[in-house]
Amino acid sequence: MNERILELFQESPEAYVSGEEISRRLNVSRTAIWKHIEELRAAGYNFEAAPRKGYRLVSKPDKWQVTELLQGLKTKVLGQKVHVYGEVDSTQTIAHALVASGASEGTLVLAEAQTAGRGRMGRAWHSPAGKGIWMSLVLTPKVPVYFMPQLTLLSAVALCRAIQKVCRVDIGIKWPNDLLIKGKKVSGILLESSGEDERLKYVIAGIGISVNLKVDDYPEELRSVATSLAIESGTDIKRETLVQAFLLEFEELYALYLQEGFSPIRLLWEALSVTLKRPIRTHTPMGVIEGIADSLDDTGALTVIKGDGERIKVYSGDIELR
């Protein structure tokens, strides 16, 4: 039914189509029409409604241009194999299944929308259709399992540098891997892994970027804490260009990491951080810790200096910038 409704609007581009006309042409009730219009809105179609005029299709959801994406890639491995989906529960779930079927390093999963996008610590991630980059990247680093936090920080550095280059916005990293613009979250990173004999078999790097969302695309409860690249830059961003830039940054930093270790990545992370030298508060298994975020150690843990001078290492968890 949704496709038939879209066909009616395509017959009269830019024109209003009354609910009565749609009802007559498709032989459905006005209530059913409203329901299908809402479904299309949820899928990324933008309709304008006017009393006594009906509905007008203002814009369609952006669709991944895979050929353009591949032609513009400058990587040797990452993103050379791409799987693109419409709506999925989570690109992470798809990527794990692809690895089980033999997917190689660099395999990229892209989705137009996620119904159950996963964030850190089991949180949901708002992933509307055609508005953002919802992707998962397969990696097979030959490093110990306990190096996972380093790879998380590397992912944040690669993404932050790519966004800086493509979008020209003032963006920084909140430990360990949230990307913030003016204190609001624009991207999240979730790494999931499988290990064997204390070595990583594979890692799935899940990346969610709020690219072209407008304020009205966010639920009311997220508007004070989340933003998008389009809102902050004042212009829509071409998603393919940003993915290309991210994969190239990641591939170059990943090669540097495998050759020279975490030290150069740590320096880059610290330069992009909005966390260091600031008062923070975090909940840990040892209880609530408050102090000044001082530095990263060689594992990627955050060193916090408490009020009494004691130095505490925080290995995981959320922090609150004070």
Side-chain angles (χ1 to χ4, degrees), residues 154 157 161 249-266 268:
L154 187 157
V157 171
R161 285 163 62 95
E249 286 286 342
F250 197 111
E251 187 165 279
E252 292 176 348
L253 292 177
Y254 188 48
L256 177 66
Y257 169 74
L258 294 177
Q259 181 178 347
E260 299 186 21
F262 182 58
S263 181
I265 306 302
R266 180 182 63 194
L268 291 171

Side-chain angles (χ1 to χ4, degrees), residues 86-272:
E87 184 177 272
V88 301
D89 59 351
S90 167
T91 58
Q92 290 291 88
T93 302
I94 300 292
H96 280 289
L98 289 172
V99 170
S101 300
S104 58
E105 182 166 61
T107 297
L108 181 68
V109 178
L110 293 168
E112 295 292 357
Q114 297 181 119
T115 58
R118 299 204 291 274
R120 291 177 61 246
M121 306 180 76
R123 295 190 181 94
W125 183 261
H126 185 55
S127 316
K131 299 283 188 174
I133 295 173
W134 327 120
M135 64 182 174
S136 293
L137 180 66
V138 176
L139 304 168
T140 56
K142 302 299 188 289
V143 298
V145 170
Y146 57 83
F147 279 15
M148 265 283 287
Q150 297 178 352
L151 292 170
T152 297
L153 296 166
L154 187 157
S155 302
V157 171
L159 183 55
C160 192
R161 285 163 62 95
I163 290 174
Q164 284 179 330
K165 290 178 180 179
V166 173
C167 308
R168 307 293 183 183
V169 291
D170 185 11
I171 188 168
I173 308 170
K174 173 188 167 189
W175 187 88
N177 56 6
D178 285 345
L179 268 59
L180 306 183
I181 301 176
K182 299 175 185 175
K184 292 185 177 182
K185 186 170 178 176
V186 75
S187 175
I189 299 169
L190 173 67
L191 268 64
E192 298 174 335
S193 67
S194 175
E196 188 175 85
D197 298 327
E198 297 187 354
R199 307 289 289 186
L200 287 170
K201 288 177 62 180
Y202 70 87
V203 175
I204 306 295
I207 312 287
I209 313 169
S210 298
V211 182
N212 291 324
L213 282 79
K214 304 300 187 280
V215 173
D216 290 346
D217 290 318
Y218 287 100
E220 187 68 37
E221 65 271 17
L222 293 181
R223 293 178 186 176
S224 63
V225 296
T227 189
S228 76
L229 298 176
I231 291 171
E232 299 302 330
S233 68
T235 184
D236 282 354
I237 306 299
K238 192 164 183 60
R239 295 185 299 168
E240 290 79 7
T241 300
L242 185 51
V243 171
Q244 291 162 352
F246 166 70
L247 292 175
L248 182 59
E249 286 286 342
F250 197 111
E251 187 165 279
E252 292 176 348
L253 292 177
Y254 188 48
L256 177 66
Y257 169 74
L258 294 177
Q259 181 178 347
E260 299 186 21
F262 182 58
S263 181
I265 306 302
R266 180 182 63 194
L267 292 175
L268 291 171
W269 189 97
E270 290 178 342
L272 295 168

